[in-house]
Amino acid sequence: MRGLYLLALLVSIGGLAALDRHFRLAFFYKPRQTALILVCAVALFVVWDLAGLYFRIFFSGPSPLLIGWQLAPEFPVEEIGFLTLLNYNALLLWTWLRSRHA
Amino acid sequence: MHNYIVLNTAFLAAVALLCVALHYRYKLHLNRRSLLYSLAILLVLTIIFDSLLIHLELFYYDPARLLGLYIGKAPVEDFAYPVGSLLLVATLWEVLENRDAKD
C-alpha cells in the first residue's frame, strides 16, 4: 500500500509524542529548546544522507510502501520523517534517563 | 569517500569533535551510565528497525561500498547514525538545559 511507510513513521512519532507528553520529557517540557535541537540534528543528518547519495552508497528502494514523492533524486520525503523519528527517539531516551543515575 | 565506512567514520568523528568541544566549553556533566543505557536501547531498536526497513526494500546499498559485515540485515556502518544522533542531541540538550545555571 502506497504511503504506508510514511504513515507508520507518523504514527511512531505520534507515539513518542504521547510518551513525551505523559512524562513531560522534551517538547512538553521546553518546546522551543526541543524544536531547536531536532531541527539542527535533522539538518545534520540530511547532509549526511545527501553525502551517502552523492557517493552512490545507498539508494531509494523499489518498495511499493513508499509514497513516491522525492525531495531530491533518491531522497524520498519519508527520510525526513525517519531522521526526525531517530533524533526524537534519541532525545527522549536521554531526557528520560539523564537524571536517573545521577 | 567512496565507501560507507569512510563516510560514516568522517561524519561521526565530526559530530564527536563538536560534542567534545561543547563538553569542555560549557563544562558539561553527562552521566556516563545514562548515556550507555540510552545507547544500548537505541542500538537494539536500530538493529530491529533498520533490518525491517531493508527487508521491505525501502532502500538498498551498493554492496561494493560496504564492508560486508551485517548485524541482522543492517550493515555495521549504519550504526554510526544512532551513535551520532544520541551524542549530538544529548550534548545539545545539556548545553541548552544548563544555560541558566552556568555562564
Side-chain angles (χ1 to χ4, degrees):
Chain A
M1 178 204 136
R2 238 190 96 184
L4 190 61
Y5 178 36
L6 184 61
L7 183 64
L9 287 169
L10 293 173
V11 167
S12 300
I13 292 170
L16 289 183
L19 287 169
D20 187 353
R21 186 160 147 255
H22 181 79
F23 293 104
R24 304 215 171 274
L25 294 172
F27 191 78
F28 294 89
Y29 164 59
K30 289 188 180 175
R32 292 205 302 166
Q33 177 169 304
T34 301
L36 178 65
I37 291 172
L38 290 181
V39 165
C40 290
V42 171
L44 176 119
F45 281 96
V46 165
V47 173
W48 193 332
D49 264 0
L50 289 174
L53 291 174
Y54 177 79
F55 291 108
R56 300 190 188 285
I57 293 166
F58 44 73
F59 308 85
S60 185
S63 172
L65 302 177
L66 292 167
I67 202 155
W69 302 334
Q70 298 193 324
L71 296 172
E74 302 292 335
F75 197 103
V77 62
E78 289 93 337
E79 191 58 16
I80 303 290
F82 169 75
L83 295 175
T84 303
L85 181 62
L86 172 64
N87 287 291
Y88 191 28
N89 196 345
L91 183 61
L92 291 186
L93 282 169
W94 176 248
T95 51
W96 172 43
L97 295 173
R98 64 187 282 272
S99 42
R100 266 182 169 232
H101 301 276
Chain B
M1 293 197 208
H2 271 266
N3 52 48
Y4 205 21
I5 187 68
V6 173
L7 179 75
N8 282 8
T9 303
F11 269 85
L12 185 55
V15 170
L17 233 88
L18 171 68
C19 292
V20 166
L22 290 171
H23 180 101
Y24 285 107
R25 166 65 184 83
Y26 289 98
K27 301 189 179 67
L28 301 180
H29 296 284
L30 272 78
N31 185 287
R32 212 173 306 165
R33 210 181 273 179
S34 301
L35 213 53
L36 247 55
Y37 285 164
S38 303
L39 184 62
I41 295 171
L42 200 56
L43 289 178
V44 168
L45 291 172
T46 300
I47 293 170
I48 297 169
F49 288 99
D50 209 7
S51 296
L52 178 64
L53 299 187
I54 290 167
H55 177 76
L56 293 172
E57 296 191 310
L58 290 160
F59 48 89
Y60 64 96
Y61 299 80
D62 178 354
R65 308 257 190 249
L66 300 177
L67 290 173
L69 229 72
Y70 299 85
I71 301 180
K73 291 197 171 207
V76 288
E77 299 95 316
D78 250 2
F79 291 91
Y81 274 64
V83 173
S85 169
L86 181 65
L87 250 183
L88 182 65
V89 298
T91 302
L92 291 179
W93 183 266
E94 294 305 316
V95 168
L96 295 174
E97 186 68 359
N98 299 305
R99 255 235 205 126
D100 329 299
K102 309 272 160 99
D103 273 5

